[in-house]
Amino acid sequence: MALVPCQVLRAAILLSYCSILCNYKAIDMPAHQTYGGSWKFLTFIDLVIQAVFFGICVLTDLSSLLTKGNDSQEQERQLKKLISLRDWVMAVLAFPVGVFVVTMFWSIYIYDRELVYPKLLDNFIPAWLNHGMHTTVLPFVLIEMRTTHHQYPSRSCGLAAVCTFAVGYILWVCWIHHVTGVWVYPLLEHLSPGVKIIFFAAVTVIINIFYLVGEVLNNYIWDTQK
């Protein structure tokens, strides 16, 4: 795909995430006023990750256009650093976390929405915003993977980074429960301590699997031999 269409597409996706974040933060929900605020929800963290990622993509495109035809080695070096950052965020955060949020949310929602998204939230969050947070993330990140080749880090480094993020968020959720006595997600209220450990371990494994899926998919799409 040509550079200009990709540029416009990424800019449009970035604007959509900015709109979703602004509308979400404008909602006056009791949960936003409690300890941790919006940052206790993985959905919100993922929205920030996606917005930052596509912001880096747009900045990379602009830098590429500005340095095109320029023989400055320093500018070329800075552009390569920006591209490396973009690829790392895509591989370690944007793809695995985004896919995890979409698949886990809708899987639990279909089974019993009260465990993850109580019906009471319909009074605060309109349907279009819910899909903006939990549905469009997947096609957006797949479009980005299809239109741009991303250089993945070594598998060991990538998996270590993903594990660090997953464990960090799990510890954050546990800390919130320690402080407030309330679990971020209603689902956790129904699990015994032993089952919680198994659940957290499974979540970590799943997000690592999504990292591997992203790596394989990226290599398949951009296999020059094919």
Side-chain angles (χ1 to χ4, degrees), residues 55-178:
I56 295 173
C57 288
V58 171
L59 183 59
T60 302
D61 285 339
L62 290 175
S63 299
S64 180
L65 287 173
L66 292 174
T67 58
K68 191 175 183 180
N70 193 325
D71 296 331
S72 173
Q73 292 184 350
E74 178 60 23
Q75 289 183 349
E76 186 69 23
R77 187 170 65 86
Q78 295 300 324
L79 177 59
K80 287 181 178 179
K81 285 184 177 180
L82 197 56
I83 292 174
S84 295
L85 175 62
R86 178 201 66 187
D87 292 349
W88 188 90
V89 175
M90 172 66 172
V92 172
L93 295 174
F95 186 89
V97 178
V99 175
F100 177 84
V101 167
V102 173
T103 54
M104 286 296 290
F105 174 83
W106 287 112
S107 296
I108 299 175
Y109 184 97
I110 292 172
Y111 174 74
D112 183 356
R113 67 170 295 177
E114 295 298 319
L115 296 176
V116 67
Y117 192 82
K119 199 168 184 179
L120 177 65
L121 292 179
D122 291 341
N123 298 324
F124 299 94
I125 303 176
W128 71 267
L129 186 56
N130 180 28
H131 285 291
M133 297 188 298
H134 298 115
T135 305
T136 58
V137 173
L138 181 57
F140 283 168
V141 77
L142 289 176
I143 288 171
E144 170 60 24
M145 180 169 283
R146 179 61 185 86
T147 56
T148 306
H149 175 254
H150 297 276
Q151 186 67 42
Y152 268 61
S154 66
R155 183 166 293 180
S156 58
C157 290
L159 290 175
V162 173
C163 281
T164 300
F165 174 85
V167 173
Y169 180 70
I170 289 170
L171 292 177
W172 171 231
V173 169
C174 292
W175 174 254
I176 292 173
H177 176 262
H178 172 74

Side-chain angles (χ1 to χ4, degrees), residues 19-63:
S19 175
I20 291 170
L21 282 168
C22 288
N23 279 276
Y24 179 74
K25 290 298 291 182
I27 297 174
D28 185 19
M29 285 198 307
H32 291 176
Q33 313 303 323
T34 56
Y35 184 83
S38 302
W39 291 98
K40 59 178 168 283
F41 301 113
L42 185 58
T43 292
F44 179 78
I45 295 174
D46 178 51
L47 287 176
V48 174
I49 289 173
Q50 302 299 330
V52 170
F53 168 66
F54 280 99
I56 295 173
C57 288
V58 171
L59 183 59
T60 302
D61 285 339
L62 290 175
S63 299

